[in-house]
Amino acid sequence: MSASQSAVRSRAEAVKASRTLDYLILFTAFFVILGGYHIHYMLTGGDWDFWTDWKDRRLWVTVAPIVSITFPAAVQACLWFRYRLPFGAVVCVLGLLLGEWVNRYLNFWGWTYFPVNFCFPSNLVPGAIVLDVILMLSNSMTLTAVVGGMAWGLLFYPGNWPIIAPLHIPVEYNGMMFTLADLQGYHYVRTGTPEYIRMVEKGTLRTFGKDVAPVSAFFSAFVSILIYFLWHFFGKWFSKPDFVQSA
């Protein structure tokens, strides 16, 4: 067969080759999103997402939703403007959770023997589903940014509460009263502790009045709206087609 001849001999072979190429592109794109989102989340919010005794701090409620809405906003805008597919946020979150579970299970448990209930990743699926559903029903990126971004921040803590609630049970240990999550952190000592965790312990993020979780959640929801607006422009720009004029 010469270079000028087609590699397919029939329409069926052409359709099969086209679908195979589509599957390869989708497979590659999924893992590109997985890798990029995973690196971004680990660099910006990973410290507050690693350990259950850090999830007991209210800064986890504030930081994690803000830094995690970035890639869902960009990929959602890209898929929506180019293909009218309203599942960009769910694709991003599923990719992130896959990478997180591989990391936590193989690295944190497989290499360093931290129990899985001490280093499990946060649950972002409820917010991602709501974000995609709002876009699908409203057909508006602005409404998705305002309502969906607020829902993303507000649903983060309730979506994770069934998982972390048992770890907030008060226990008495050597005459001291603290949570079960803190007891885990006491027994499973890490190699180092950043200075800002000590600053939080001296501050009021754990004892602001009664419970500062609602205040942190609403602040996170407001900032998530702004972050969604910013990152959806990145996705819109990335999906913009460019044409080269012929000579």
Side-chain angles (χ1 to χ4, degrees), residues 11-247:
R11 178 178 176 83
E13 290 184 358
V15 171
K16 183 178 180 181
S18 177
R19 289 179 178 175
T20 302
L21 181 61
D22 290 340
Y23 291 144
L24 291 175
I25 293 175
L26 291 175
F27 180 83
T28 305
F30 177 77
F31 280 94
V32 167
I33 295 173
L34 185 156
Y37 194 13
H38 187 268
I39 293 174
H40 163 81
Y41 190 61
M42 289 297 97
L43 291 177
T44 55
D47 289 338
W48 299 105
D49 196 61
F50 283 148
W51 322 107
T52 56
D53 58 335
W54 288 27
K55 290 184 175 70
D56 195 22
R57 278 72 178 171
R58 298 308 177 227
L59 204 58
W60 169 66
V61 185
T62 306
V63 174
I66 294 174
V67 301
S68 62
I69 199 175
T70 52
F71 268 67
V75 175
Q76 194 178 50
C78 182
L79 293 181
W80 182 254
F81 285 118
R82 291 287 293 175
Y83 309 106
R84 278 299 186 265
L85 296 176
F87 51 75
V90 172
V91 169
C92 282
V93 167
L94 291 180
L96 176 64
L97 288 180
L98 175 60
E100 289 283 352
W101 274 111
V102 171
N103 179 33
R104 307 298 171 89
Y105 189 80
L106 296 182
N107 296 336
F108 286 69
W109 182 84
W111 284 357
T112 55
Y113 301 104
F114 289 119
V116 177
N117 69 342
F118 181 57
C119 58
F120 58 89
S122 301
N123 179 25
L124 300 171
V125 175
I129 294 176
V130 171
L131 205 63
D132 284 335
V133 169
I134 292 176
L135 177 61
M136 180 181 62
L137 296 179
S138 67
N139 195 22
S140 171
M141 296 298 297
T142 302
L143 189 63
T144 304
V146 176
V147 180
M150 180 168 290
W152 177 277
L154 293 178
L155 289 176
F156 177 78
Y157 197 69
N160 285 275
W161 180 248
I163 306 173
I164 65 174
L167 301 173
H168 283 226
I169 296 176
V171 295
E172 183 180 355
Y173 186 76
N174 290 338
M176 296 181 295
M177 181 71 70
F178 51 164
T179 64
L180 188 60
D182 280 328
L183 182 61
Q184 286 184 317
Y186 179 80
H187 283 285
Y188 294 97
V189 181
R190 277 78 74 186
T191 56
T193 303
E195 183 61 27
Y196 53 75
I197 190 69
R198 301 186 183 95
M199 295 169 61
V200 168
E201 291 300 324
K202 296 178 183 178
T204 58
L205 277 177
R206 302 189 71 188
T207 58
F208 185 77
K210 293 182 179 179
D211 195 352
V212 76
V215 179
S216 301
F218 273 98
F219 175 78
S220 175
F222 173 74
V223 180
S224 295
I225 296 173
L226 304 180
I227 298 298
Y228 187 97
F229 269 115
L230 176 63
W231 277 76
H232 109 277
F233 284 114
F234 293 154
K236 186 177 181 180
W237 171 82
F238 188 79
S239 62
K240 178 182 177 182
D242 292 324
F243 300 94
V244 178
Q245 294 182 354
S246 60

